[in-house]
């Protein structure tokens, strides 16, 4: 698997950050220092045309704002926008899952829910804080284990209807592959008691 990752990242790669991060002084500089670029669609299209690998966190803002999830649930929110972009650019989608992130910090709500929802809708920004070691924002010392799935090829579509169908097909395969690698490795990496649930699905579907 490490050889697969090395081959995949032989191409130039950039990870995406929320557009709002690049409008805030200091936060912008820190985000760029970490190697992230604006997640705007035009920027993603430019990177893909240039042959770069684009690293996406599909859950994004929704998962960052999630503070009420039960301890035994891993809930993923998999939008289709990044898959539509991959289909239009005829590039494969590579599912990955990182075990350990849920144990490094815990999200806490800093603002009343209505105000937090307004910020999310208006600025596309999370207002949550994160608590780790000793009640500080410093993450706990836990191992992160990255599991890489099998790449999912995309096919060029000649029409809008065909594009929609291809997006649905790739999205279904993407979720299935995420589920496979999660259940295959969860016991080894300490997630044995946690059920994987996709947004808008019942717990039993995990």
């Amino acid at each position: 698997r490490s050889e697969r990752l090395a081959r995949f990242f032989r191409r130039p790669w950039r990870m995406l950050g929320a557009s709002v991060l690049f409008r805030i002084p200091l936060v912008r500089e820190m985000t760029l220092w970490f190697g992230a670029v604006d997640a705007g669609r035009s920027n993603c299209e430019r990177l893909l045309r240039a042959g770069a690998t684009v690293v996406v966190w599909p859950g994004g803002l929704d998962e960052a704002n999630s503070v009420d999830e039960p301890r035994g649930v891993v809930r993923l929110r998999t939008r289709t926008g990044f898959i539509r972009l991959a289909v239009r650019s005829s590039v494969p989608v590579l599912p990955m899952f990182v075990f350990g992130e849920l144990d490094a910090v815990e999200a806490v709500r800093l603002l009343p829910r209505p105000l937090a929802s307004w910020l999310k809708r208006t600025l596309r920004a999370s207002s949550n804080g994160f608590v780790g070691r000793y009640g500080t924002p410093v993450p706990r010392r836990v191992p992160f284990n990255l599991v890489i799935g099998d790449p999912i090829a995309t096919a060029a579509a000649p029409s809008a209807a065909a594009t929609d169908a291809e997006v649905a097909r790739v999205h279904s395969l993407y979720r299935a592959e995420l589920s496979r690698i999660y259940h295959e490795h969860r016991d080894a990496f300490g997630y044995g008691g946690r059920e994987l649930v996709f947004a808008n699905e019942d717990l039993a579907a995990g």
Side-chain angles (χ1 to χ4, degrees), residues 76 78 83 95 152 170-180 196 198-199 201:
L76 301 182
T78 59
I83 290 178
I152 301 167
V170 175
H171 186 244
S172 177
L173 293 175
Y174 170 79
R175 289 181 17 154
E177 182 63 6
L178 273 182
S179 181
R180 181 188 72 79
L196 178 66
F198 291 102
E201 290 186 355

Side-chain angles (χ1 to χ4, degrees), residues 41-110:
R41 185 174 65 180
S42 61
N43 194 42
C44 293
E45 291 173 343
R46 179 184 62 80
L47 289 169
L48 291 173
R49 284 196 302 269
T53 293
V54 177
V55 181
V56 184
W57 281 263
L61 189 59
D62 289 333
E63 291 182 5
N65 275 279
S66 178
V67 297
D68 300 319
E69 295 293 352
R71 173 76 178 172
V73 172
V74 178
R75 189 178 298 275
L76 301 182
R77 292 159 174 81
T78 59
R79 298 184 180 90
T80 59
F82 74 102
I83 290 178
R84 186 172 299 276
L85 183 63
V87 169
R88 288 176 174 170
S89 303
S90 298
V91 296
V93 175
L94 183 64
M96 299 181 182
F97 188 90
V98 180
F99 291 91
E101 285 187 344
L102 292 179
D103 300 319
V105 293
E106 296 174 5
V108 293
R109 183 176 290 113
L110 300 178

